[in-house]
């Protein structure tokens, strides 16, 4: 099962997310649930840099493909415009994850945490 955790700061702004584990829907290389989660979470990471304009050196991320792990954290002191764009990227990723949950809830969870 893949666990997706979205982290918010005390003000309620999303500052990052973590994806852990393989979905287990099918064998490695044929798992459409894992592939969908990977596309959503990795596209969000890329968009934080390319769409939001957050310098890649300011985004803390770690990827371990073998164990199905991706963690991403953005700075808490973004400009208003970058914050707005980051919120859109995060919320879009969450919409995709929730869509997957509707069909594949046995293979995926979505949780929220505060940091």
């Amino acid at each position: 099962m893949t666990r997706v955790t979205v982290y918010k700061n005390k003000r309620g702004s999303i500052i990052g997310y973590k994806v852990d584990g393989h979905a287990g829907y099918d064998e490695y290389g044929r798992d459409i649930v894992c592939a969908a989660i990977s596309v959503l979470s990795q596209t969000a990471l890329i968009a934080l840099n390319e769409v939001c304009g957050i310098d890649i050196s300011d985004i803390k991320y770690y990827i371990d493909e073998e164990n199905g792990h991706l963690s991403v954290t953005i700075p808490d002191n973004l400009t208003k415009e970058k914050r707005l764009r980051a919120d859109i990227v995060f919320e879009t990723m969450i919409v995709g994850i929730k869509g997957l949950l509707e069909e594949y809830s046995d293979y995926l969870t979505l949780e929220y945490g505060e940091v």
Side-chain angles (χ1 to χ4, degrees):
M1 176 173 285
T2 302
R3 290 169 309 284
V4 178
T5 307
V6 175
Y7 294 101
K8 295 183 176 189
N9 63 19
K10 294 184 187 317
R11 294 182 309 277
S13 297
I14 298 171
I15 60 158
Y17 58 93
K18 179 173 66 172
V19 178
D20 268 320
H22 293 289
Y25 178 78
D26 203 341
E27 65 186 60
Y28 183 81
R30 298 176 52 95
D31 193 324
I32 61 171
V33 178
C34 238
I37 296 165
S38 293
V39 167
L40 289 166
S41 60
Q42 290 183 33
T43 299
L45 169 58
I46 294 165
L48 289 168
N49 171 244
E50 294 185 14
V51 175
C52 302
I54 303 171
D55 194 286
I56 196 68
S57 64
D58 291 332
I59 301 171
K60 294 180 184 170
Y61 68 94
Y62 173 75
I63 299 172
D64 179 349
E65 288 183 29
E66 186 175 322
N67 293 306
H69 178 84
L70 169 64
S71 60
V72 175
T73 306
I74 61 170
D76 202 22
N77 61 345
L78 298 176
T79 65
K80 190 174 183 176
E81 183 175 330
K82 287 182 183 181
R83 175 76 257 171
L84 178 62
R85 289 179 182 214
D87 287 345
I88 293 168
V89 167
F90 286 135
E91 293 297 338
T92 301
M93 181 192 79
I94 292 167
V95 165
I97 297 294
K98 286 180 177 178
L100 288 172
L101 273 168
E102 289 178 16
E103 296 294 322
Y104 303 103
S105 61
D106 291 343
Y107 305 96
L108 170 68
T109 63
L110 174 62
E111 307 168 343
Y112 292 87
E114 186 177 279
V115 290

